[in-house]
Every structure is written in C-alpha cells, then in structure tokens.
Amino acid sequence: MPSQPGPDQWTPEGLLVRIRFANLAGARVLLYARALSDGQASSEYGVHCLGCTDTWTMTDSRSSSTTYPLNFLEGRERANEHAGQCRALPGPLPGRPDDETATGMITTRIARRQRDHGFSLHVSDFTGDRVLLQRTDAWIHEQLAAIADRRPDLLAITTDTTSTGTTHVYHRVQPHPSTRTQATSAR
Ligand SMILES: [Zn+2]
C-alpha cells in the first residue's frame, strides 16, 4: 500500500489546492478550487480547515445580505483570517468515502436545499462538500444523472442543443412538496 501523503502534499481528488495556511496549532487550512476538465482552477473557491474541519465557500453574510461564491482573493483572505485565530490541533486526513456513501452525500445535499420553488443546480453548489467527497466534476455529473433517474421528485435534467451542435445540460432541483410539509409541521 502506498504511504499516505502528509497534509502538505495531500490534494483531495477533483480539486486543486492553491495555498496551504497553518493555523495556530499547525493544522493546515486549505484554499482550494475545483479542477476543471482542462486542468485549470474553477473561479469558485473553498476554504477547509483540517483542524476544526470547518468549511467556507461563500462571501460573508454578516456584512451583506447578498452572498456569492468566494473568488481566489476572498478565499485567501478568509483562509488567512481563520488560520490566524483557529487553535484546533491537526486532525487525520479525511478518508475517501466509497461510491455509495459519496452518492448519498450528494443526494442529501440536494434534498436539504430543496425549496418550495425549483431552481437550477450547478456543480459548484457542492464546493463545500468536495474535501470530504473526493470526487471529480465528471463523477458528480454522472451521479446527478443517476439521481435524476431514481428521484424525479428531487432532480430533473434537461438538455438543449444549439444550432451549432453544442449540447447544454441543465440540472433543476424540483420544488419541495411543501403542502405536505406544512400539514405535518403545523401541529
Ligand atoms: Zn479551524
């Protein structure tokens, strides 16, 4: 068995780690992006602390009511700020979940985000899960197709082919069956 890489080499599958900070106890705080199919980094970033295991993917909701995915500079600032105040000891590197567990994580994330209105889903919506998920964008897209087959109440996929022959795939989270939820939560 190959020896496990240390926290200074470890890169979760499907990601690019751009900067590793050290917190006050030496635990690494990763600034990461998704690895796109051409090997470039995504424009959305995530921050994950291997000490306290907290993750950030969005701009600060305390200073603005509108939040959006962290870009490189915002992610770097967040990681640096957290590293300067977190005292959690370095923990073990997260193990790679098996396929069934990873698919379950994706399904749970979609179900938690379900609202009383439908909305489109993007692979970047899973940025905060990726350090634990350890899967590529392509793998996640395959699972989304399988989930849409299995759970049409949860996720719908539509495709649109342009006149130039380019096919776009759209993922849409289906509205929550809110009438039933309200009936049970009204007790
Ligand atoms: Zn931390």
Side-chain angles (χ1 to χ4, degrees):
M1 225 178 103
S3 63
Q4 182 76 340
D8 286 335
Q9 293 83 39
W10 184 64
T11 298
E13 187 180 323
L15 299 181
L16 298 171
V17 176
R18 296 293 302 275
I19 306 182
R20 295 166 205 266
F21 296 80
N23 79 358
L24 297 174
R28 299 302 187 256
V29 180
L30 309 180
L31 173 64
Y32 64 90
R34 296 181 354 259
L36 302 179
S37 54
D38 60 3
Q40 300 294 307
S42 64
S43 52
E44 304 92 358
Y45 278 76
V47 173
H48 180 85
C49 177
L50 290 169
C52 68
T53 72
D54 272 356
T55 301
W56 296 266
T57 60
M58 304 296 282
T59 55
D60 202 337
S61 59
R62 287 170 302 180
S63 54
S64 167
S65 58
T66 312
T67 62
Y68 49 89
L70 294 171
N71 65 24
F72 174 76
L73 293 176
E74 291 156 346
R76 189 176 67 177
E77 190 181 330
R78 183 71 58 87
N80 188 37
E81 183 188 305
H82 179 74
Q85 59 193 33
C86 178
R87 297 176 182 279
L89 294 169
L93 295 175
R96 188 177 185 271
D98 61 29
D99 282 355
E100 194 184 340
T101 307
T103 308
M105 290 164 70
I106 292 173
T107 311
T108 304
R109 172 66 63 201
I110 298 170
R112 280 203 193 131
R113 295 200 55 201
Q114 222 175 1
R115 299 286 177 266
D116 53 8
H117 56 87
F119 59 91
S120 58
L121 182 77
H122 187 262
V123 71
S124 65
D125 293 336
F126 300 98
T127 300
D129 301 309
R130 296 290 290 266
V131 170
L132 300 182
L133 201 54
Q134 299 174 38
R135 295 297 193 281
T136 61
D137 280 8
W139 190 91
I140 291 172
H141 276 127
E142 278 173 31
Q143 300 315 305
L144 292 180
I147 291 167
D149 271 346
R150 205 164 54 237
R151 294 284 309 276
D153 60 308
L154 195 61
L155 188 67
I157 295 185
T158 53
T159 55
D160 181 22
T161 304
T162 65
S163 55
T164 54
T166 313
T167 301
H168 295 282
V169 181
Y170 300 97
H171 300 84
R172 190 165 180 82
V173 178
Q174 299 290 67
H176 198 275
S178 52
T179 43
R180 272 178 283 155
T181 312
Q182 279 163 8
T184 37
S185 62
R187 281 180 295 170

